[in-house]
Amino acid sequence: MKIIIVKDYEKVSDKAFEIMKEVVSGNPEAVLGLATGTTPLGLYARMIADHEENGTSYARVKAANLDEYAGVGKDNPNSYAYFMRKNLFDKIDIKLENAHIENGMALNADAECKRYAELLANMPRDIQVLGIGSNGHIAFNEPGTPFDSVTHTVELAESTVRDNARLFDRIEDVPRKAFTMGLSEIMQAKKILILATGANKADAVYGMIRGEVTEQLPASVLRKHPDCVLICDEAAGSRLKN
Ligand code: GLP
């Protein structure tokens, strides 16, 4: 894994944007794997600004998101579908029918997982953007998820519910179940960009890079990927220095 440590969140976003821009400029039909969470917001803001200022077009780009809360509809402000529209899709020229995400309201969860897995199999991602959970999860692949997993539903770890509670009015409102892209599907992307910022990610980043490659720390699977770049700020990378 290539490791880039920069000063702060803004620099992480700048570097991530540089790599994203290279992919999209090089291939106007690129397929992007996108992530939610607060970490990629700076990247998305730069994609929007670049679209507005330089006309970089996403009209032929396709996107697939990592995960979605179960039981939360796409028009609910807490859904990841809503998050993506608000923070990126509504502000660039991507066609919404080309921007895919699991349907949190699917009545048959198994059928929905199968549908999404088939879709992913037919749209290999040129680049996958990832954040990392403080427990080392990627997407909603919690510790213990098999490396060969495909799209599945998951009971969220207590620590994830606590971490994500900051985005809800009350902790009781945080959904306990989610749909997530599996680890083997994440690994299929040609290039992976994992972003980590803030001191609360330092242990997960350290474990991912210096610990064992183990299903107990899902992000460690990325060490097996031939083209994965970690971009982190000094706080998240603090334990890598010694
Ligand atoms: C959620 C998402 C992950 C994301 C993580 C970290 O659990 N499912 O994809 O990486 O949060 O979020 P943040 O970037 O806000 O720290």
Side-chain angles (χ1 to χ4, degrees):
M1 185 172 330
K2 185 171 168 197
I3 302 169
I4 302 175
I5 303 180
V6 292
K7 189 162 177 292
D8 55 19
Y9 182 80
E10 298 307 318
K11 294 269 182 295
V12 168
S13 305
D14 287 344
K15 187 71 205 165
F17 170 67
E18 201 180 287
I19 296 173
M20 175 61 80
K21 169 115 183 176
E22 228 173 75
V23 172
V24 176
S25 314
N27 176 9
E29 297 186 0
V31 180
L32 314 180
L34 299 176
T36 50
T38 41
T39 313
L41 284 174
L43 163 64
Y44 297 160
R46 283 156 179 75
M47 290 165 72
I48 294 165
D50 170 63
H51 167 71
E52 285 168 357
E53 287 157 24
N54 307 314
T56 301
S57 176
Y58 295 81
R60 287 149 65 203
V61 161
K62 291 198 178 102
N65 257 81
L66 290 170
D67 44 15
E68 179 61 282
Y69 287 122
V72 179
K74 66 180 171 42
D75 294 323
N76 181 324
N78 288 323
S79 73
Y80 284 169
Y82 186 97
F83 176 101
M84 289 307 299
R85 290 201 305 276
K86 178 167 148 236
N87 293 301
L88 184 63
F89 297 151
D90 285 351
K91 297 172 181 162
I92 57 175
D93 61 344
I94 193 167
K95 297 199 173 76
L96 279 183
E97 68 265 29
N98 288 336
H100 303 278
I101 189 163
E102 296 94 331
N103 173 11
M105 294 303 274
L107 293 176
N108 182 335
D110 289 344
E112 177 57 11
C113 291
K114 195 162 170 266
R115 177 194 75 82
Y116 205 66
E118 278 169 12
L119 181 95
L120 294 174
N122 289 314
M123 51 179 292
R125 276 75 63 217
D126 293 296
I127 183 169
Q128 175 67 60
V129 177
L130 294 175
I132 184 169
S134 62
N135 65 357
H137 76 214
I138 46 178
F140 272 135
N141 292 284
E142 299 286 23
T145 307
F147 284 166
D148 64 0
S149 54
V150 294
T151 304
H152 59 284
T153 53
V154 55
E155 293 287 338
L156 301 181
E158 253 337 286
S159 60
T160 301
V161 171
R162 274 198 309 274
D163 283 353
N164 290 357
R166 70 188 193 285
L167 304 169
F168 291 79
D169 291 338
R170 303 173 315 157
I171 191 158
E172 301 83 60
D173 296 339
V174 185
R176 300 260 154 181
K177 256 186 115 172
F179 290 88
T180 184
M181 195 185 286
L183 293 170
S184 74
E185 293 160 333
I186 290 173
M187 289 291 279
Q188 277 157 10
K190 216 191 267 175
K191 184 178 197 72
I192 297 182
L193 199 53
I194 179 158
L195 312 179
T197 58
N200 65 323
K201 302 293 173 71
D203 289 345
V205 166
Y206 179 80
M208 165 172 72
I209 302 296
R210 297 275 171 80
E212 255 180 83
V213 174
T214 164
E215 290 177 353
Q216 292 315 312
L217 200 141
S220 67
V221 74
L222 301 174
R223 300 230 302 270
K224 300 192 203 192
H225 194 280
D227 185 7
C228 179
V229 185
L230 161 69
I231 309 175
C232 63
D233 66 359
E234 283 175 1
S238 60
R239 292 194 59 200
L240 297 178
K241 287 188 174 155
N242 32 46

